[in-house]
Amino acid sequence: MFLFGPRTTDFTNAFLSSKFVSEGTGNDDEGDDDEGDDYEECEDEKGKFFLKKKKGKIKAKSCDWLNKKSKKKIKKYCSIDYEKAPEGYDVANTLCWETCKTCDER
């Protein structure tokens, strides 16, 4: 097989023009933008969620902290109702979308 020559150039040009450029994977940027897509990635957000109130103090934790807990604890903390959280605090299921598997509830 030759690396250079008219056959390689013709094949490369034909391949690039028919496959990559028409599918938007070439350098023409057609079809590569995400504008107008309704799809959002399911990711945990930054910040802290309300965990509990102990001795008058509010305990809040991050999604990274929650993600390291057992399935039983994750289920428990993800099921805390929003109405139990003090004003200005999120609960796990509205902040830790991926960990709580609540992406469809957005």
Side-chain angles (χ1 to χ4, degrees):
M1 178 174 183
F2 296 103
L3 296 176
F4 301 102
R7 297 178 103 189
T8 305
T9 304
D10 292 342
F11 173 76
T12 304
N13 290 339
F15 184 75
L16 288 174
S17 65
S18 66
K19 180 154 180 68
F20 288 104
V21 176
S22 65
E23 290 182 4
T25 55
N27 293 328
D28 63 350
D29 292 334
E30 285 183 35
D32 290 342
D33 62 5
D34 290 330
E35 288 183 37
D37 291 344
D38 291 332
Y39 175 77
E40 291 182 33
E41 288 188 32
C42 180
E43 294 179 350
D44 293 340
E45 295 180 26
K46 303 285 184 206
K48 294 190 175 190
F49 63 89
F50 170 74
L51 183 66
K52 61 183 173 181
K53 196 171 187 177
K54 188 173 183 180
K55 296 182 183 181
K57 290 188 176 185
I58 295 171
K59 291 212 172 222
K61 296 291 183 178
S62 69
C63 296
D64 289 336
W65 175 88
L66 180 61
N67 198 27
K68 296 174 185 172
K69 297 299 173 194
S70 68
K71 288 182 182 181
K72 185 177 179 181
K73 291 281 187 183
I74 290 173
K75 185 176 179 179
K76 175 184 174 182
Y77 295 131
C78 289
S79 65
I80 293 176
D81 191 25
Y82 188 76
E83 290 152 4
K84 292 183 180 179
E87 189 174 329
Y89 283 88
D90 282 317
V91 289
N93 60 23
T94 61
L95 190 69
C96 307
W97 301 103
E98 183 178 11
T99 302
C100 292
K101 296 178 176 53
T102 54
C103 297
D104 294 338
E105 298 175 18
R106 288 190 200 197

